[in-house]
Amino acid sequence: MTRRDSGKKSLHDVLRARREAPSLLTPAEAAKREVARRREEVEAAAAAALARRREGRSPDAGGRLEPEVYRALFRLDPAAYAETGHWSRRARAQLAHAPACEVAECRSSSGIAAHHLTHATIGAEEPGRDLITLCAGCHRRAEKLGRELGRVPRREELVALDPRRPLYEPADIAALKARYGR
């Protein structure tokens, strides 16, 4: 009596049968599931960070979260992201890199703060590349420029801002005064 007759299979036969059997998940389905699992994990970590903030603690608990978690936290609540130790470190590094307003005609050193040039790099910002130092007045002008352009202004456009340009056009002010009777 041979092994095949006794019902036992050789290792070679078992491996061949396993190769020929349909897989439970295709590689694409497995990748999709992994992406979904990772997204849920990141969202849960961001929600936990937001809960810590609501309890009066640091959102990142003084530690370091993954960049994806910081991005998810920013989407949930930008103010919570601004309270993280990560943003504090990045802002300090930007102010060390550029200790005065980076607008060419301003260069004020009072009321300065670090600001994002893009939100695509949140959680992994680099001073001088993704951040810019602006004073409060130039920041308001940068926001106005962004509204006029319909996009986030580039560094070159911000550096070229005119700090003496009024924030509000005289025609807009006159229209508001006429509308509200002042």
Side-chain angles (χ1 to χ4, degrees):
M1 181 191 249
T2 65
R3 269 192 292 187
R4 291 182 196 246
D5 295 337
S6 67
K8 293 184 178 180
K9 292 184 179 181
S10 70
L11 178 61
H12 182 71
D13 291 337
V14 170
L15 292 175
R16 182 184 313 123
R18 195 176 275 174
R19 276 192 309 269
E20 293 171 354
S23 64
L24 297 176
L25 287 176
T26 65
E29 290 171 333
K32 283 181 185 177
R33 286 188 180 183
E34 178 59 23
V35 167
R37 185 198 63 77
R38 178 71 180 136
R39 186 180 317 116
E40 289 172 5
E41 188 178 275
V42 165
E43 293 298 327
L50 194 55
R52 282 191 296 274
R53 177 182 184 248
R54 289 185 181 131
E55 294 169 359
R57 301 181 332 196
S58 171
D60 55 359
R64 294 176 193 246
L65 302 175
E66 296 177 24
E68 299 88 19
V69 176
Y70 285 116
R71 280 192 284 280
L73 179 61
F74 183 84
R75 282 191 306 274
L76 290 173
D77 187 356
Y81 174 75
E83 292 177 12
T84 63
H86 168 78
W87 173 245
S88 177
R89 290 186 296 275
R90 296 291 83 210
R92 276 195 313 271
Q94 174 61 29
L95 295 177
H97 174 76
C101 181
E102 293 187 59
V103 172
E105 294 183 24
C106 180
R107 300 294 183 203
S108 173
S109 59
S110 64
I112 59 169
H115 299 281
H116 285 98
L117 288 170
T118 176
H119 291 152
T121 57
I122 286 188
E125 305 95 334
E126 289 294 324
R129 182 189 74 186
D130 305 316
L131 303 173
I132 188 167
T133 302
L134 297 174
C135 67
C138 290
H139 182 247
R140 287 191 301 275
R141 285 176 180 78
E143 287 177 338
K144 181 181 179 189
L145 177 63
R147 286 190 302 273
E148 291 170 355
L149 295 172
R151 62 173 171 78
V152 177
R154 292 186 298 275
R155 177 180 295 279
E156 302 80 34
E157 295 168 329
L158 295 176
V159 170
L161 280 174
D162 181 6
R164 293 177 302 276
R165 180 180 172 204
L167 281 170
Y168 302 99
E169 299 298 324
D172 295 340
I173 294 172
L176 288 171
K177 285 182 178 180
R179 182 176 180 182
Y180 294 105
R182 291 188 179 197

mmCIF file of all heavy atoms in Angstrom, residues 42-61 65 69-70 72-74 76-77 80-81 83-84:
data_model
loop_
_atom_site.group_PDB
_atom_site.id
_atom_site.type_symbol
_atom_site.label_atom_id
_atom_site.label_comp_id
_atom_site.label_asym_id
_atom_site.label_seq_id
_atom_site.Cartn_x
_atom_site.Cartn_y
_atom_site.Cartn_z
ATOM 1 N N VAL A 42 -5.729 56.142 12.589
ATOM 2 C CA VAL A 42 -5.319 57.549 12.627
ATOM 3 C C VAL A 42 -6.456 58.418 13.150
ATOM 4 O O VAL A 42 -6.252 59.295 13.998
ATOM 5 C CB VAL A 42 -4.853 58.013 11.228
ATOM 6 C CG1 VAL A 42 -4.760 59.529 11.137
ATOM 7 C CG2 VAL A 42 -3.514 57.380 10.882
ATOM 8 N N GLU A 43 -7.673 58.188 12.656
ATOM 9 C CA GLU A 43 -8.833 58.969 13.109
ATOM 10 C C GLU A 43 -9.090 58.759 14.597
ATOM 11 O O GLU A 43 -9.433 59.702 15.312
ATOM 12 C CB GLU A 43 -10.072 58.617 12.286
ATOM 13 C CG GLU A 43 -9.987 59.029 10.834
ATOM 14 C CD GLU A 43 -9.857 60.529 10.617
ATOM 15 O OE1 GLU A 43 -10.411 61.314 11.399
ATOM 16 O OE2 GLU A 43 -9.162 60.909 9.651
ATOM 17 N N ALA A 44 -8.918 57.535 15.084
ATOM 18 C CA ALA A 44 -9.107 57.262 16.511
ATOM 19 C C ALA A 44 -8.051 57.981 17.344
ATOM 20 O O ALA A 44 -8.356 58.538 18.408
ATOM 21 C CB ALA A 44 -9.055 55.761 16.775
ATOM 22 N N ALA A 45 -6.815 57.999 16.868
ATOM 23 C CA ALA A 45 -5.746 58.703 17.591
ATOM 24 C C ALA A 45 -6.004 60.205 17.608
ATOM 25 O O ALA A 45 -5.779 60.878 18.624
ATOM 26 C CB ALA A 45 -4.388 58.400 16.965
ATOM 27 N N ALA A 46 -6.508 60.763 16.504
ATOM 28 C CA ALA A 46 -6.829 62.187 16.450
ATOM 29 C C ALA A 46 -7.996 62.508 17.380
ATOM 30 O O ALA A 46 -7.987 63.537 18.072
ATOM 31 C CB ALA A 46 -7.150 62.611 15.023
ATOM 32 N N ALA A 47 -8.989 61.639 17.421
ATOM 33 C CA ALA A 47 -10.134 61.846 18.323
ATOM 34 C C ALA A 47 -9.678 61.788 19.783
ATOM 35 O O ALA A 47 -10.152 62.569 20.621
ATOM 36 C CB ALA A 47 -11.216 60.809 18.053
ATOM 37 N N ALA A 48 -8.753 60.895 20.097
ATOM 38 C CA ALA A 48 -8.218 60.816 21.459
ATOM 39 C C ALA A 48 -7.447 62.079 21.808
ATOM 40 O O ALA A 48 -7.537 62.586 22.934
ATOM 41 C CB ALA A 48 -7.316 59.584 21.600
ATOM 42 N N ALA A 49 -6.704 62.611 20.850
ATOM 43 C CA ALA A 49 -5.964 63.857 21.078
ATOM 44 C C ALA A 49 -6.929 65.010 21.329
ATOM 45 O O ALA A 49 -6.705 65.847 22.218
ATOM 46 C CB ALA A 49 -5.060 64.168 19.888
ATOM 47 N N LEU A 50 -8.011 65.051 20.575
ATOM 48 C CA LEU A 50 -9.017 66.096 20.765
ATOM 49 C C LEU A 50 -9.685 65.949 22.129
ATOM 50 O O LEU A 50 -9.950 66.951 22.815
ATOM 51 C CB LEU A 50 -10.045 66.026 19.642
ATOM 52 C CG LEU A 50 -10.981 67.212 19.486
ATOM 53 C CD1 LEU A 50 -10.220 68.515 19.332
ATOM 54 C CD2 LEU A 50 -11.894 67.002 18.293
ATOM 55 N N ALA A 51 -9.929 64.725 22.559
ATOM 56 C CA ALA A 51 -10.519 64.487 23.887
ATOM 57 C C ALA A 51 -9.565 64.962 24.985
ATOM 58 O O ALA A 51 -10.010 65.553 25.975
ATOM 59 C CB ALA A 51 -10.841 63.010 24.057
ATOM 60 N N ARG A 52 -8.257 64.725 24.809
ATOM 61 C CA ARG A 52 -7.286 65.223 25.801
ATOM 62 C C ARG A 52 -7.337 66.744 25.887
ATOM 63 O O ARG A 52 -7.256 67.319 26.962
ATOM 64 C CB ARG A 52 -5.874 64.759 25.438
ATOM 65 C CG ARG A 52 -5.580 63.328 25.803
ATOM 66 C CD ARG A 52 -4.107 62.990 25.687
ATOM 67 N NE ARG A 52 -3.594 63.085 24.329
ATOM 68 C CZ ARG A 52 -3.652 62.113 23.430
ATOM 69 N NH1 ARG A 52 -4.215 60.957 23.747
ATOM 70 N NH2 ARG A 52 -3.156 62.279 22.228
ATOM 71 N N ARG A 53 -7.484 67.400 24.754
ATOM 72 C CA ARG A 53 -7.561 68.867 24.749
ATOM 73 C C ARG A 53 -8.799 69.340 25.504
ATOM 74 O O ARG A 53 -8.750 70.298 26.264
ATOM 75 C CB ARG A 53 -7.609 69.389 23.319
ATOM 76 C CG ARG A 53 -7.759 70.907 23.280
ATOM 77 C CD ARG A 53 -7.866 71.405 21.862
ATOM 78 N NE ARG A 53 -7.913 72.836 21.827
ATOM 79 C CZ ARG A 53 -8.980 73.533 21.459
ATOM 80 N NH1 ARG A 53 -10.081 72.918 21.092
ATOM 81 N NH2 ARG A 53 -8.938 74.839 21.447
ATOM 82 N N ARG A 54 -9.914 68.660 25.285
ATOM 83 C CA ARG A 54 -11.157 69.050 25.970
ATOM 84 C C ARG A 54 -11.057 68.849 27.478
ATOM 85 O O ARG A 54 -11.765 69.488 28.237
ATOM 86 C CB ARG A 54 -12.326 68.253 25.408
ATOM 87 C CG ARG A 54 -12.679 68.690 23.999
ATOM 88 C CD ARG A 54 -13.900 67.989 23.470
ATOM 89 N NE ARG A 54 -14.171 68.430 22.120
ATOM 90 C CZ ARG A 54 -14.412 67.621 21.106
ATOM 91 N NH1 ARG A 54 -14.437 66.310 21.290
ATOM 92 N NH2 ARG A 54 -14.641 68.097 19.909
ATOM 93 N N GLU A 55 -10.163 67.945 27.892
ATOM 94 C CA GLU A 55 -9.926 67.715 29.323
ATOM 95 C C GLU A 55 -8.934 68.720 29.901
ATOM 96 O O GLU A 55 -8.603 68.654 31.076
ATOM 97 C CB GLU A 55 -9.396 66.296 29.540
ATOM 98 C CG GLU A 55 -10.395 65.219 29.206
ATOM 99 C CD GLU A 55 -9.763 63.834 29.174
ATOM 100 O OE1 GLU A 55 -8.535 63.721 29.402
ATOM 101 O OE2 GLU A 55 -10.493 62.873 28.932
ATOM 102 N N GLY A 56 -8.441 69.628 29.057
ATOM 103 C CA GLY A 56 -7.505 70.642 29.522
ATOM 104 C C GLY A 56 -6.046 70.205 29.461
ATOM 105 O O GLY A 56 -5.180 70.867 30.020
ATOM 106 N N ARG A 57 -5.791 69.097 28.771
ATOM 107 C CA ARG A 57 -4.415 68.617 28.642
ATOM 108 C C ARG A 57 -3.905 68.904 27.241
ATOM 109 O O ARG A 57 -4.660 69.284 26.360
ATOM 110 C CB ARG A 57 -4.349 67.120 28.935
ATOM 111 C CG ARG A 57 -4.840 66.770 30.319
ATOM 112 C CD ARG A 57 -4.762 65.314 30.624
ATOM 113 N NE ARG A 57 -4.874 64.472 29.438
ATOM 114 C CZ ARG A 57 -5.125 63.191 29.459
ATOM 115 N NH1 ARG A 57 -5.298 62.585 30.592
ATOM 116 N NH2 ARG A 57 -5.207 62.491 28.353
ATOM 117 N N SER A 58 -2.606 68.688 27.055
ATOM 118 C CA SER A 58 -2.006 68.868 25.732
ATOM 119 C C SER A 58 -2.554 67.797 24.792
ATOM 120 O O SER A 58 -2.590 66.622 25.156
ATOM 121 C CB SER A 58 -0.490 68.748 25.830
ATOM 122 O OG SER A 58 0.083 68.715 24.539
ATOM 123 N N PRO A 59 -2.976 68.179 23.579
ATOM 124 C CA PRO A 59 -3.523 67.186 22.658
ATOM 125 C C PRO A 59 -2.571 66.035 22.353
ATOM 126 O O PRO A 59 -3.006 64.899 22.212
ATOM 127 C CB PRO A 59 -3.817 67.995 21.392
ATOM 128 C CG PRO A 59 -4.000 69.382 21.873
ATOM 129 C CD PRO A 59 -3.063 69.532 23.040
ATOM 130 N N ASP A 60 -1.277 66.319 22.265
ATOM 131 C CA ASP A 60 -0.337 65.234 21.981
ATOM 132 C C ASP A 60 0.339 64.732 23.254
ATOM 133 O O ASP A 60 1.304 63.976 23.196
ATOM 134 C CB ASP A 60 0.692 65.627 20.924
ATOM 135 C CG ASP A 60 1.467 66.887 21.251
ATOM 136 O OD1 ASP A 60 1.213 67.495 22.299
ATOM 137 O OD2 ASP A 60 2.326 67.257 20.440
ATOM 138 N N ALA A 61 -0.184 65.125 24.387
ATOM 139 C CA ALA A 61 0.275 64.656 25.700
ATOM 140 C C ALA A 61 1.781 64.822 25.867
ATOM 141 O O ALA A 61 2.444 64.009 26.493
ATOM 142 C CB ALA A 61 -0.145 63.205 25.931
ATOM 143 N N LEU A 65 3.201 62.545 18.023
ATOM 144 C CA LEU A 65 2.275 61.721 17.261
ATOM 145 C C LEU A 65 2.816 61.570 15.841
ATOM 146 O O LEU A 65 3.722 62.289 15.431
ATOM 147 C CB LEU A 65 0.897 62.376 17.227
ATOM 148 C CG LEU A 65 0.245 62.651 18.584
ATOM 149 C CD1 LEU A 65 -1.057 63.409 18.403
ATOM 150 C CD2 LEU A 65 0.010 61.364 19.349
ATOM 151 N N VAL A 69 -1.575 61.718 12.100
ATOM 152 C CA VAL A 69 -2.463 62.021 13.227
ATOM 153 C C VAL A 69 -2.562 63.534 13.402
ATOM 154 O O VAL A 69 -3.651 64.068 13.646
ATOM 155 C CB VAL A 69 -1.981 61.330 14.523
ATOM 156 C CG1 VAL A 69 -2.851 61.713 15.706
ATOM 157 C CG2 VAL A 69 -1.959 59.818 14.336
ATOM 158 N N TYR A 70 -1.432 64.243 13.261
ATOM 159 C CA TYR A 70 -1.473 65.707 13.345
ATOM 160 C C TYR A 70 -2.349 66.290 12.233
ATOM 161 O O TYR A 70 -3.121 67.217 12.464
ATOM 162 C CB TYR A 70 -0.065 66.304 13.268
ATOM 163 C CG TYR A 70 0.732 66.132 14.539
ATOM 164 C CD1 TYR A 70 1.888 65.370 14.559
ATOM 165 C CD2 TYR A 70 0.332 66.738 15.730
ATOM 166 C CE1 TYR A 70 2.623 65.216 15.722
ATOM 167 C CE2 TYR A 70 1.047 66.588 16.885
ATOM 168 C CZ TYR A 70 2.198 65.828 16.888
ATOM 169 O OH TYR A 70 2.916 65.671 18.035
ATOM 170 N N ALA A 72 -4.901 64.792 10.749
ATOM 171 C CA ALA A 72 -6.294 64.482 11.092
ATOM 172 C C ALA A 72 -6.778 65.393 12.214
ATOM 173 O O ALA A 72 -7.921 65.867 12.186
ATOM 174 C CB ALA A 72 -6.426 63.020 11.504
ATOM 175 N N LEU A 73 -5.919 65.665 13.193
ATOM 176 C CA LEU A 73 -6.285 66.579 14.283
ATOM 177 C C LEU A 73 -6.541 67.976 13.732
ATOM 178 O O LEU A 73 -7.501 68.642 14.131
ATOM 179 C CB LEU A 73 -5.181 66.612 15.338
ATOM 180 C CG LEU A 73 -5.408 67.541 16.528
ATOM 181 C CD1 LEU A 73 -6.659 67.138 17.304
ATOM 182 C CD2 LEU A 73 -4.192 67.529 17.442
ATOM 183 N N PHE A 74 -5.707 68.429 12.796
ATOM 184 C CA PHE A 74 -5.903 69.744 12.183
ATOM 185 C C PHE A 74 -7.239 69.805 11.449
ATOM 186 O O PHE A 74 -7.946 70.812 11.525
ATOM 187 C CB PHE A 74 -4.754 70.068 11.228
ATOM 188 C CG PHE A 74 -4.855 71.441 10.624
ATOM 189 C CD1 PHE A 74 -4.388 72.547 11.315
ATOM 190 C CD2 PHE A 74 -5.408 71.626 9.368
ATOM 191 C CE1 PHE A 74 -4.486 73.814 10.767
ATOM 192 C CE2 PHE A 74 -5.507 72.893 8.817
ATOM 193 C CZ PHE A 74 -5.041 73.987 9.517
ATOM 194 N N LEU A 76 -9.905 68.102 12.195
ATOM 195 C CA LEU A 76 -10.967 68.107 13.207
ATOM 196 C C LEU A 76 -11.080 69.461 13.895
ATOM 197 O O LEU A 76 -12.180 69.961 14.121
ATOM 198 C CB LEU A 76 -10.713 67.027 14.263
ATOM 199 C CG LEU A 76 -10.877 65.587 13.821
ATOM 200 C CD1 LEU A 76 -10.431 64.643 14.931
ATOM 201 C CD2 LEU A 76 -12.317 65.310 13.429
ATOM 202 N N ASP A 77 -9.932 70.036 14.270
ATOM 203 C CA ASP A 77 -9.934 71.299 15.019
ATOM 204 C C ASP A 77 -8.564 71.965 14.894
ATOM 205 O O ASP A 77 -7.617 71.587 15.589
ATOM 206 C CB ASP A 77 -10.252 71.015 16.492
ATOM 207 C CG ASP A 77 -10.437 72.282 17.308
ATOM 208 O OD1 ASP A 77 -10.253 73.386 16.779
ATOM 209 O OD2 ASP A 77 -10.770 72.149 18.505
ATOM 210 N N ALA A 80 -6.886 73.000 18.102
ATOM 211 C CA ALA A 80 -6.284 71.905 18.883
ATOM 212 C C ALA A 80 -4.887 71.603 18.363
ATOM 213 O O ALA A 80 -3.964 71.354 19.142
ATOM 214 C CB ALA A 80 -7.163 70.655 18.814
ATOM 215 N N TYR A 81 -4.720 71.629 17.049
ATOM 216 C CA TYR A 81 -3.388 71.407 16.479
ATOM 217 C C TYR A 81 -2.425 72.500 16.941
ATOM 218 O O TYR A 81 -1.271 72.227 17.268
ATOM 219 C CB TYR A 81 -3.456 71.374 14.947
ATOM 220 C CG TYR A 81 -2.091 71.300 14.323
ATOM 221 C CD1 TYR A 81 -1.371 70.118 14.342
ATOM 222 C CD2 TYR A 81 -1.501 72.410 13.743
ATOM 223 C CE1 TYR A 81 -0.098 70.042 13.797
ATOM 224 C CE2 TYR A 81 -0.242 72.350 13.195
ATOM 225 C CZ TYR A 81 0.455 71.167 13.227
ATOM 226 O OH TYR A 81 1.715 71.101 12.698
ATOM 227 N N GLU A 83 -2.293 73.915 19.654
ATOM 228 C CA GLU A 83 -1.932 73.735 21.066
ATOM 229 C C GLU A 83 -1.006 72.534 21.292
ATOM 230 O O GLU A 83 -0.645 72.256 22.428
ATOM 231 C CB GLU A 83 -3.197 73.557 21.902
ATOM 232 C CG GLU A 83 -4.041 74.808 21.970
ATOM 233 C CD GLU A 83 -5.323 74.605 22.749
ATOM 234 O OE1 GLU A 83 -5.468 73.562 23.431
ATOM 235 O OE2 GLU A 83 -6.189 75.483 22.666
ATOM 236 N N THR A 84 -0.615 71.844 20.244
ATOM 237 C CA THR A 84 0.244 70.674 20.416
ATOM 238 C C THR A 84 1.695 71.087 20.633
ATOM 239 O O THR A 84 2.121 72.168 20.228
ATOM 240 C CB THR A 84 0.192 69.749 19.180
ATOM 241 O OG1 THR A 84 0.689 70.455 18.039
ATOM 242 C CG2 THR A 84 -1.212 69.236 18.929
#
